[in-house]
Amino acid sequence: MKPAPVSYHRASSVSDAVDLLTSLGEESKVIAGGQSLVPMMSFRLARPEHLVDITRIPGLDSIELTGSELTIGALATHQAVLESPVVRHSAGHELIARTMRHVGHLPIRTRGTVGGSIAHADGSAEWPLLAVLFGARVVAEGATGEREVPAEELFFGLYTTCLEPDEIVTRVIFPPAKGAAGFAEYGLRHGDFALAAAGVVLPSTEGATDARVVVSGAAPAPTRLPATEVAVAAAASDAALRQSVTTDLDELEVDDDYQRDLVTGMVIKAVKEARTR
């Protein structure tokens, strides 16, 4: 199929993009890399009347370390993050660069953007999971000004966020992981969408209770597993970890045995990777 007819608008600044979104209404969509939106338009799963192109807005592709926090601009590509020495050598952020190897294939990574993935909110994508895992803050700008949204409050469900129709993501702020971190995902082929994925951050110190475990494949949006976080903090065995994941998946009412096995396996694998760091 081909996309339905659509009007194209190019924004020259963030304020210009916001003005366009405000004037064009809810039938408008922001486009950056287009790696998710364009295929959906081709299958007519998405039929916006207007596209607001933000790719020419200067300054939105920066990758910077301010103190201990990593700020990634909305137009930074997955490949730019993968190759960035700032990310790769930043204590507490190395996992972000490593995880980018799982994102699609090279042509997708060189076009797809961080902000686009966050705003698109695909439940199987890596960036929403990473944002929740690191406790990131998503900065969005709209007609009423700029605001920061904690990642855990941003995602409502599959392709659904709390972003307003006139808002665009401008950057994402990642605090450092407090402990060693690991990530694992499973897809039918490398580069395919993950059927299940897990990110783990170990406790900051022995005896601390600040471990974090976030999974995709158990709910429409990235989800923390509280019982499993307690088990990870206690340095539990694989058997105990499996039981804690079972408890969390029961609470989430995940009934599919295959999906439960996938999620459990990814948690175990991510914990083992983190423990080797």
Side-chain angles (χ1 to χ4, degrees), residues 157-226:
L158 188 62
Y159 307 129
T160 309
T161 71
C162 69
L163 294 172
E164 297 294 338
D166 63 1
E167 286 185 314
I168 66 169
V169 174
T170 58
R171 60 192 183 278
V172 187
I173 304 169
F174 290 86
K178 294 182 178 180
F183 176 86
E185 72 171 42
Y186 175 78
L188 296 179
R189 297 170 300 182
H190 175 72
D192 283 2
F193 286 110
L195 298 178
V200 171
V201 176
L202 300 184
S204 54
T205 58
E206 186 176 352
T209 60
D210 52 1
R212 293 176 74 92
V213 178
V214 181
V215 299
S216 64
T223 307
R224 290 182 67 177
L225 301 185

Side-chain angles (χ1 to χ4, degrees), residues 3 9 24 28 48 89 92 102 122 145 147 159 163 177 243 246 272:
H9 311 263
L24 297 172
S28 59
H89 303 303
H102 295 273
D122 188 324
R147 63 174 178 142
Y159 307 129
L163 294 172
Q243 184 55 53
T246 295
K272 287 182 176 179

